[in-house]
């Protein structure tokens, strides 16, 4: 069975009396859509909060010791291919290990193996020192570069000892560039991309696309007048008003949309070519996807934490796996949801619009993605299967689809 | 008669990038040639390094772009970037072995402000024919790639994910203008569904390559710099386009 290429994540999240994302004059960011202004949270704001979120489902949590398992990138994608090209196994091990040390720091296995090097161990696996317990994230550009560098060093070396010497000289001469490669790689870069240089071959692309989120209805905004009171002045007999200002408070049901490019995610995490993503180890990618679903549903992009406590969880998370061109369901809300609909039940009206639009969309374009949904309440006529077990079950399902 | 690929570019935010000045990233009203090339290359699964293929495709594109709806003024998104973040400094590795840095001092510490324009609340249709029509990729290859793309498609910037399938179909017509009249006439006459933009009859602003056969009278001729040198990863090279209103009747 072939794996689906794309995961689409749709959320509906309510925020009341908050100011989530501001423009240059301190007002909430907006978006004209369907002829009505909506309140908006920008893509970069959402991404930043997902990236830096702490907690049970944080991305940084994937690097924690309990989730580590042996990563064989250097063995399977660098050392073994070089050996297949005809280079001598010991020489390959020496060069690749030297490069690995720079890119990772010393692995304890390598240290121990070196310590034993003086003893005669006939069947010692030359590549044993290359397996590392660290969560190593090198994308395809990095793997190709390291392999190419190793290949050049091996081609010029007569013995394994010469190869190691050449590798050490190369590392000394290129330390800054290799350090930069180490710093540029990482889970963050695999998901959200990294700095572009003038070199197209070193470019790493983001595997996650995050749309700007906006309210399904016209803006609901209230000016927030506030004063700052000077207590000391009051005590001294003065009037006490230190400052008068105004801000803005907005409320809304926000539609959020993100797409995960699964072949690119696996390539960025495992260093394999995109075309080989289905045969690569997808365990880490599955963990990332599961966490991303949780983050999209629960992480607030909000600012003004002290004065508005803008914390909310999604009331609906819809996941779609498929191969068709991903598309946002924003047009379900092209006609803004109005307070007059459904006796003032804006949430119900929004869900009804979404369900109706999705049905119309399927009718027009035929076929259907593999869809599952977690929601506070069942949604009538929505063309998706509702999971028992809510968000944890939904996120876990997404992980198993990727790992399958 | 030629085969014309019909594309629908519609997203809550879209960007048709124009020349950038300092921190300002303006959007033109219609997509440029390099943007369409990149979009098609993305669907086909081409890489950044496939410069020859991208150059060849770019040189074959003949798009007629028509505005269906749109706010006249673009939305400017105000973005701040903390230049001190760890992944921004000392991470510019290259395959040439030389690290590229942003520089020192303020470039690694302060907050950088970027302004990026988007076209909003709109829809642009593109009627695309290919010069050397039989060369691979043909219009049919492009259609198939857009329906099941290798990567997610986006309209200008990565967050600009489309609302609808971009490839609408193919039309056989004598010119791209005939294809446009045929297609939009059908759309205008169709029953209107809630959540779908109406195509109004009347005049629609459009842009097409100068000298395109079958063109109506244009209001202006302009030079645009929307061609990318894919080998050197630079924009450069201009072409002439014509702009004018297209009259659309129903049926």
């Amino acid at each position: 069975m072939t794996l689906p290429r794309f995961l689409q994540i749709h959320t509906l999240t309510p925020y009341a009396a908050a100011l989530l994302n501001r423009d240059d004059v301190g007002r909430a960011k907006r978006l004209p859509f369907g002829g009505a202004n909506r309140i908006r949270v920008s893509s970069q704001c959402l991404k930043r909060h997902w990236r830096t979120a702490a907690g049970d489902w944080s991305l940084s949590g994937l690097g924690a010791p309990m989730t580590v398992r042996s990563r064989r990138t250097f063995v399977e994608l660098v050392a073994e291919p070089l050996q297949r090209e005809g280079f001598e196994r010991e020489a390959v091990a020496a060069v690749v290990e030297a490069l690995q040390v720079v890119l990772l720091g010393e692995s304890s296995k390598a240290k121990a193996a070196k310590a034993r090097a003086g003893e005669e161990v006939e069947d010692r696996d030359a590549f044993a020192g290359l397996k590392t317990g660290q969560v190593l994230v090198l994308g395809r550009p990095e793997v190709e570069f390291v392999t190419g560098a190793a290949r050049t060093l091996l081609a010029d070396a007569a013995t394994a000892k010469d190869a190691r010497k050449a590798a050490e000289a190369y590392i000394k001469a290129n330390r800054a560039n290799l350090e930069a490669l180490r710093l540029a790689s990482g889970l963050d870069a695999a998901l959200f991309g990294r700095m572009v240089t003038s070199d197209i071959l070193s470019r790493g692309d983001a595997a996650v696309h995050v749309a700007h989120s906006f309210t399904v209805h016209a803006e609901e905004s209230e000016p927030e007048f506030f004063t700052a009171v000077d207590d000391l002045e009051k005590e001294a007999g003065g009037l006490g008003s230190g400052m008068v200002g105004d801000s803005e408070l907005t409320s809304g049901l926000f539609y959020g949309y993100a797409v995960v490019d699964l072949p690119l995610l696996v390539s960025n995490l495992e260093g394999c070519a995109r075309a080989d993503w289905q045969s690569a180890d997808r365990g880490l990618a599955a963990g990332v996807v599961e966490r991303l679903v949780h983050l999209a549903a629960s992480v607030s992009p909000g600012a003004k934490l002290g004065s508005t406590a803008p914390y909310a969880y999604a009331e609906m998370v819809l996941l779609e796996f498929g191969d068709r061109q991903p598309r946002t369901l924003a047009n379900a809300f092209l006609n803004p949801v109005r307070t007059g609909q459904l006796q003032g039940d804006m949430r119900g009206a929004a869900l009804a619009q979404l369900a109706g639009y999705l049905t119309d969309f399927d009718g027009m374009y035929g076929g259907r993605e593999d869809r599952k949904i977690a929601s506070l309440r069942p949604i009538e006529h929505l063309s998706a299967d509702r999971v028992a077990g809510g968000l944890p079950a939904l996120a876990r399902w997404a992980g198993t689809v990727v790992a399958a | 008669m030629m085969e014309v690929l019909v594309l629908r570019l519609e997203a809550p935010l879209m960007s048709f990038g124009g020349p950038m000045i300092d921190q300002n990233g303006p959007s033109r009203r219609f997509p440029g040639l390099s943007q369409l090339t990149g979009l098609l290359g993305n669907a086909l699964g081409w890489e950044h390094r496939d410069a020859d293929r991208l150059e060849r495709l770019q040189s074959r594109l003949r798009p007629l772009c028509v505005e269906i709806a749109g706010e006249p003024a673009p939305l400017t998104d105000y973005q701040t970037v903390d230049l001190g973040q760890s992944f921004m400094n000392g991470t510019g590795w290259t395959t040439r072995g030389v690290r590229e840095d942003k520089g020192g001092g303020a470039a690694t510490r302060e907050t950088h402000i970027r302004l990026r324009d988007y076209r909003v609340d709109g829809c642009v249709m593109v009627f695309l024919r290919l010069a050397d029509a039989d060369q691979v990729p043909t219009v049919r290859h492009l259609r198939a790639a857009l329906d099941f793309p290798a990567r997610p498609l986006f309209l200008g910037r990565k967050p600009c994910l489309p609302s609808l399938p971009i490839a609408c179909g193919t039309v056989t017509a004598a010119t791209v203008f005939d294809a446009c009249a045929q297609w939009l006439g059908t759309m205008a006459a169709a029953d209107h569904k809630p959540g779908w933009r109406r195509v109004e009859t009347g005049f629609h602003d459009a842009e097409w390559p100068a000298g395109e056969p079958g063109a109506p009278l244009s209001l202006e001729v302009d030079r645009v710099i929307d061609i990318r040198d894919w080998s050197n990863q630079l924009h450069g090279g201009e072409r002439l386009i014509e702009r004018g209103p297209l009259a659309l009747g129903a049926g």
Side-chain angles (χ1 to χ4, degrees), chain A residues 5-6 29 34-35 40 44 48 51 144 177 180 197-199 203 205-206 209-210 274 325 327-328 331, chain B residues 10 48-49 77-79 85 87 90 93-97 100 121 147-151 158-159 162 164 166:
Chain A
R5 277 199 298 277
F6 309 122
K29 288 193 177 181
R40 169 172 67 93
Q44 61 271 18
R48 178 181 165 75
R51 274 178 34 233
E144 284 184 350
N177 195 45
T197 62
S198 67
D199 180 3
R203 178 169 168 159
D205 287 324
H209 301 240
V210 179
R274 282 185 69 249
Q325 176 219 299
R327 48 88 191 94
T328 169
N331 274 10
Chain B
E10 181 175 343
H48 297 293
R49 68 186 74 183
D77 188 32
Y78 169 81
Q79 305 175 8
Q85 294 173 95
F87 58 84
W93 71 276
T94 68
T95 59
R96 294 189 285 268
E100 285 184 7
D121 213 3
D147 284 340
F148 292 92
R151 291 186 284 262
K158 277 186 116 134
L164 291 166
I166 289 173

Side-chain angles (χ1 to χ4, degrees), chain B residues 185-248:
Chain B
T186 312
M187 278 176 76
D191 291 331
H192 179 245
K193 282 183 120 106
W196 306 84
R197 290 187 193 276
R198 213 188 277 274
V199 177
E200 307 288 353
T201 55
F203 288 101
H204 288 264
D205 289 333
E207 191 175 280
W208 59 88
E212 184 66 17
L217 214 56
S218 64
L219 280 184
E220 60 170 335
V221 178
D222 196 5
R223 279 179 214 277
V224 289
I225 302 167
D226 63 356
I227 303 176
R228 189 173 178 83
D229 175 343
W230 295 92
S231 308
N232 292 301
Q233 295 297 317
L234 295 167
H235 270 91
E238 54 184 38
R239 63 183 182 115
L240 288 179
I241 51 112
E242 289 181 62
R243 287 194 192 99
L246 291 186
L248 295 174

Side-chain angles (χ1 to χ4, degrees), chain A residues 5-6 22-24 29-36 40 42-44 47-48 51 141-142 144-145 174 176-177 179-181 183-184 188 194-195 197-203 205-206 209-212 214 257-259 261 274 323-328 330-331 334-335 357 360-361 364-365, chain B residues 8 10-13 42 45 47-49 71 75-80 82 85-100 102 115 118 120-121 146-154 157-168 192-197 228 231 233:
Chain A
R5 277 199 298 277
F6 309 122
R22 281 166 280 180
D23 64 14
D24 53 330
K29 288 193 177 181
R30 281 163 163 81
L31 172 71
F33 187 63
R40 169 172 67 93
S42 68
S43 163
Q44 61 271 18
K47 284 195 288 263
R48 178 181 165 75
R51 274 178 34 233
E142 289 87 335
E144 284 184 350
F145 173 69
N174 289 275
N177 195 45
E179 268 287 302
L181 191 156
L183 290 173
D188 212 65
R194 57 162 190 265
M195 294 293 294
T197 62
S198 67
D199 180 3
I200 203 64
L201 297 176
S202 69
R203 178 169 168 159
D205 287 324
H209 301 240
V210 179
H212 294 244
F214 58 91
Y257 177 61
V259 181
D261 179 348
R274 282 185 69 249
D323 292 324
R324 293 197 294 185
Q325 176 219 299
R327 48 88 191 94
T328 169
N331 274 10
L334 187 63
N335 287 346
Y357 178 77
D360 286 345
F361 184 92
M364 178 159 171
Y365 291 102
Chain B
R8 184 184 188 120
E10 181 175 343
L13 291 96
N42 206 22
E47 306 272 330
H48 297 293
R49 68 186 74 183
E71 280 276 315
L75 175 86
T76 302
D77 188 32
Y78 169 81
Q79 305 175 8
T80 59
D82 176 1
Q85 294 173 95
S86 57
F87 58 84
M88 302 208 83
N89 297 300
T91 57
W93 71 276
T94 68
T95 59
R96 294 189 285 268
V98 180
R99 191 175 87 185
E100 285 184 7
K102 281 202 312 322
L115 302 168
Y118 293 90
V120 293
D121 213 3
L146 289 165
D147 284 340
F148 292 92
R151 291 186 284 262
L153 302 181
F154 55 90
R157 301 186 179 111
K158 277 186 116 134
C160 300
L161 297 156
S163 302
L164 291 166
I166 289 173
C168 294
H192 179 245
K193 282 183 120 106
W196 306 84
R197 290 187 193 276
R228 189 173 178 83
S231 308
Q233 295 297 317

Side-chain angles (χ1 to χ4, degrees), chain A residues 272-300:
Chain A
C272 61
R274 282 185 69 249
D276 300 330
W277 78 285
Q278 296 197 62
S279 48
D281 182 346
R282 278 167 277 109
L284 184 56
V288 166
V289 162
E290 185 179 3
R291 280 169 189 259
L292 203 56
V293 172
H294 277 274
L295 293 174
S298 61
V299 171
S300 163

